């Protein structure tokens, strides 16, 4: 059980909790952790989860309580409840109840339990910040959690060179090598191509478009371009290469097997860095609230 007393009315906090898994979600700790997603709006019967954890909404008392039953596997649940303490205060509780045996139990004590505690405390931090504008004692991930998160971070997937990557496709009249690697952009991550320039350190920018950034270098043996495309809630790192002579082709034959490893490593590293540096869900919600307060009211 995790609890947090929040200096805000229960109705205000309950309205935030009712937006779990929504767009935008003001409290689940994204993009530092995988987003909570459902196959329909939050309500009884909604199926979904976050990361590899799957569950279904079993109980929903709007503004007060949401219970998620785990699916499939061992029975159990986790739930969030908002308890009024007075006109301007409430207590938020998160309860996890599940029986684990054998390998699942070992995995819980080795890693998953630490992840769970951090995610729940960050969720409570977001509730407190969104409702009050500040967090009294924000959680700090332990070195073990930071290490495990680094190891478990999403890995890029191989895709075809996107049709939208027009700078990459138009870089050369012919190409001798091309590949592309893609990752999802969780809510809260930057979709500004300029923020992703650090993927290839020391490589100059050769072109820009609204959603695409092109980097590259020309050399005597070959030329290469690397495209960063931010589109459809995904970031895609594409590479195109043009060789000039036999020496360039021999060099490409050697590095083409190392290149995918390095491309995946650099994209994943930058993705993690930007995700962890992004404003939290609570900060984003607070900014939206302040922006709405500043909007002129209609006559």
């Amino acid at each position: 059980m995790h609890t947090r007393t929040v200096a805000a009315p229960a109705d205000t906090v309950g309205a935030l909790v009712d937006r779990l898994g929504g767009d935008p979600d003001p409290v689940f700790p994204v993009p530092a952790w995988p987003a909570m997603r459902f196959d329909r709006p939050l309500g009884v019967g909604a199926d979904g989860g976050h990361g590899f954890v799957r569950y279904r909404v079993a109980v929903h008392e709007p503004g007060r309580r949401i219970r998620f039953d785990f699916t499939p596997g061992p029975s159990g649940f986790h739930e969030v409840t908002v308890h009024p303490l007075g006109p301007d205060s409430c207590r938020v509780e998160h309860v996890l109840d599940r029986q684990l045996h054998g390998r699942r139990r070992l995995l819980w004590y080795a890693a998953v339990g630490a992840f769970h505690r951090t995610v729940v405390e960050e969720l409570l931090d977001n509730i407190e910040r969104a409702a009050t504008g500040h967090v009294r004692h924000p959680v700090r991930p332990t070195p073990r959690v930071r290490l495990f998160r680094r190891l478990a971070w999403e890995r890029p997937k191989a895709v075809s060179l996107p049709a939208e990557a027009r700078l990459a496709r138009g870089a050369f009249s012919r190409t001798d090598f091309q590949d592309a690697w893609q990752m999802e952009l969780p809510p809260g991550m930057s979709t500004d191509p300029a923020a992703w320039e650090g993927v290839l350190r020391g490589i100059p920018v050769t072109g820009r478009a609204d959603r695409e950034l092109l980097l590259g270098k020309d050399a005597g043996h070959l030329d290469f371009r690397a495209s960063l495309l931010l589109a459809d809630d995904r970031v895609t790192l594409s590479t195109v290469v043009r060789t000039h002579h036999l020496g360039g082709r021999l060099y490409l034959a050697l590095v083409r097997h190392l290149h995918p490893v390095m491309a995946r490593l650099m994209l994943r590293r930058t993705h993690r860095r930007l995700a962890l540096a992004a404003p939290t869900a609570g900060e984003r919600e607070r900014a939206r609230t302040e922006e709405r307060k500043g909007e002129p009211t209609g006559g």
Side-chain angles (χ1 to χ4, degrees), residues 54-56 58 67-78 95-99:
R54 316 310 299 166
Y55 38 80
R56 179 181 298 116
R67 172 170 164 163
F68 307 92
D69 284 355
F70 290 112
T71 61
S75 62
F77 67 88
H78 70 107
V95 175
L96 171 67
D97 189 324
R98 192 171 192 181
Q99 293 293 322

Side-chain angles (χ1 to χ4, degrees), residues 12-83:
T12 298
V13 172
L16 292 169
V17 173
D18 280 344
R19 290 166 58 193
L20 273 167
D23 183 19
D25 183 331
V27 296
F28 202 81
V30 178
W33 300 96
M36 177 183 282
R37 301 186 188 279
F38 295 101
D39 62 353
R40 67 195 81 172
L42 187 70
V44 174
D47 252 322
H50 60 277
F52 61 84
V53 185
R54 316 310 299 166
Y55 38 80
R56 179 181 298 116
V57 178
V59 178
H60 183 206
E61 300 172 12
R64 290 295 180 264
R65 178 181 174 226
I66 308 173
R67 172 170 164 163
F68 307 92
D69 284 355
F70 290 112
T71 61
S75 62
F77 67 88
H78 70 107
E79 70 176 21
V80 182
T81 309
V82 180
H83 300 277

Side-chain angles (χ1 to χ4, degrees), residues 94-169:
H94 182 279
V95 175
L96 171 67
D97 189 324
R98 192 171 192 181
Q99 293 293 322
L100 298 174
H101 304 282
R103 184 175 61 180
R104 290 177 181 267
R105 188 177 182 87
L106 290 174
L107 188 60
W108 172 268
Y109 284 110
V112 176
F115 281 175
H116 166 77
R117 289 186 289 273
T118 302
V119 170
V120 172
E121 288 298 323
E122 289 185 3
L123 183 148
L124 296 175
D125 282 355
N126 286 328
I127 290 175
E128 187 176 358
R129 184 178 296 282
T132 70
H134 66 277
V135 180
R136 289 168 296 175
H137 304 291
V139 66
R140 293 287 182 264
T142 65
R144 182 172 65 154
V145 168
R146 292 198 298 267
L147 173 61
F148 285 152
R149 178 163 54 187
R150 178 188 293 267
L151 296 175
W153 201 263
E154 178 193 355
R155 285 165 170 73
K157 300 176 181 178
V159 296
S160 300
L161 189 68
E164 299 92 337
R166 295 184 177 89
L167 294 181
R169 287 184 169 273

Side-chain angles (χ1 to χ4, degrees), residues 140-207:
R140 293 287 182 264
T142 65
R144 182 172 65 154
V145 168
R146 292 198 298 267
L147 173 61
F148 285 152
R149 178 163 54 187
R150 178 188 293 267
L151 296 175
W153 201 263
E154 178 193 355
R155 285 165 170 73
K157 300 176 181 178
V159 296
S160 300
L161 189 68
E164 299 92 337
R166 295 184 177 89
L167 294 181
R169 287 184 169 273
F172 305 130
S173 58
R174 63 169 179 81
T175 59
D176 297 298
F177 173 84
Q178 67 180 40
D179 71 352
W181 300 92
Q182 192 174 84
M183 298 182 72
E184 290 191 11
L185 289 175
M189 284 196 68
S190 175
T191 57
D192 179 4
W196 294 77
E197 286 188 27
V199 168
L200 300 177
R201 296 174 181 173
I203 304 301
V205 175
T206 62

